[in-house]
Amino acid sequence: MMLTVSSINVSLAGALILRDVSFELKSGATTVLIGRNGAGKTTLLRAIMGLIPTEKGSIALSGTELLPLPSFARAPLGIGYAPEDRRLIPEFSVEDNIVLPGLAIKLSQSEIRKRLEKVYGLLPELQVMRDRPGNGVSGGQGKMVALGRALMVAEKVLMLDEPFQGLAPALALEYARTLGKLRENMRDLTLLITESSPNLLKAIADVTLLIERGAVTVQDQETRA
Ligand SMILES: Nc1ncnc2c1ncn2[C@@H]1O[C@H](COP(=O)(O)OP(=O)(O)O)[C@@H](O)[C@H]1O
Ligand SMILES: [Mg+2]
């Protein structure tokens, strides 16, 4: 297993939000977490990243216990995270926005170059607009930049929080195609994607998890061909 979450509880402002949550992310699999607004999707991803405290249980990344580690020590282990509010730094170029998390985890310049080339190979449209300022791209393009930025550190696990939210249907389709391509090109990457609509990600989900009022259950499980 790439990531194992066991019996975690998370409270926010004194209210229990995640209730005894357990699930596993299989290496190289795409896991989709479906739940309505307020179900706890964002809270779960933030807990994995260490942005909010976990009260009990365990979160392990290929055997390494994450809970004792502060947030800044988790991303360098190879977890990329694209938050739902995928804000770019407006005065930074698209490329500098993509590179930023690589600098934050103190990658060498040559490693940053290498990863950037990989991101551009996968998302060539980002290369085309790399010199544009962060505030000079459309909402849909911004989602792609946020994906590239998360890929910068996602050596093992990539977590996308409601990447389709706010995208017009045509753009959502394009984004879904990009995810399919990502899947083909990075077969070892373990993906966790949250969504509020059960249908959008059916085609690429290996495992579907449901979250309802902070409780997670497995919907169905298929072996990827
Ligand atoms: N900072 C916060 N303080 C208190 N409650 C919060 C906070 N953030 C979220 N919540 C509550 O936690 C629950 C789960 O929220 P969230 O994880 O954002 O759900 P989702 O991402 O599935 O829409 C909701 O009931 C929400 O009101
Ligand atoms: Mg959310």
Side-chain angles (χ1 to χ4, degrees):
M1 287 300 156
M2 180 49 75
L3 189 87
T4 306
V5 173
S6 312
S7 304
I8 64 163
N9 276 5
V10 171
S11 296
L12 294 174
L16 184 61
I17 304 294
L18 298 182
R19 302 154 190 273
D20 202 33
V21 167
S22 300
F23 65 91
E24 295 175 325
L25 299 183
K26 265 197 277 178
S27 299
T30 301
T31 302
V32 175
L33 176 71
I34 308 282
R36 315 198 155 84
N37 268 346
K41 303 180 295 296
T42 298
T43 303
L44 178 54
L45 299 196
R46 289 175 59 79
I48 293 170
M49 291 313 294
L51 298 168
I52 45 175
T54 296
E55 284 159 22
K56 72 170 187 82
S58 148
I59 303 177
L61 180 75
S62 39
T64 301
E65 180 57 51
L66 296 184
L67 289 189
L69 302 179
S71 184
F72 67 79
R74 298 191 193 188
L77 299 176
I79 314 178
Y81 170 49
E84 57 186 343
D85 58 341
R86 41 110 212 126
R87 239 160 299 170
L88 306 181
I89 297 183
E91 62 271 21
F92 277 28
S93 69
V94 162
E95 182 162 291
D96 287 344
N97 270 282
I98 297 170
V99 160
L100 197 62
L103 294 173
I105 67 169
K106 300 189 166 62
L107 297 179
S108 67
Q109 281 302 324
S110 64
E111 184 61 26
I112 286 179
R113 264 287 130 205
K114 206 178 95 194
R115 294 192 188 189
L116 195 55
E117 290 313 314
K118 201 167 152 188
V119 169
Y120 285 154
L122 195 71
L123 304 165
E125 62 268 48
L126 293 185
Q127 191 160 20
V128 174
M129 58 188 184
R130 67 180 176 190
D131 294 325
R132 305 238 304 259
N135 59 5
V137 302
S138 71
Q141 291 168 332
K143 291 261 184 190
M144 293 297 178
V145 180
L147 178 60
R149 185 170 59 180
L151 279 170
M152 199 69 196
V153 299
E155 284 291 280
K156 292 180 173 169
V157 179
L158 174 65
M159 305 197 301
L160 306 174
D161 197 5
E162 296 204 51
F164 293 93
Q165 202 183 41
L167 282 186
L171 285 174
L173 204 66
E174 192 187 320
Y175 192 95
R177 262 192 234 113
T178 303
L179 288 182
K181 195 167 133 200
L182 177 79
R183 201 57 289 179
E184 292 306 308
N185 284 273
M186 302 177 75
R187 288 184 181 275
D188 293 340
L189 187 65
T190 303
L191 262 171
L192 176 61
I193 311 174
T194 73
E195 213 10 271
S196 52
S197 150
N199 295 318
L200 275 169
L201 290 164
K202 250 188 195 152
I204 63 164
D206 297 305
V207 179
T208 302
L209 304 173
L210 304 177
I211 183 164
E212 215 172 333
R213 272 178 279 138
V216 172
T217 52
V218 181
Q219 189 183 54
D220 56 54
Q221 204 149 342
E222 293 172 9
T223 318
R224 206 181 166 76

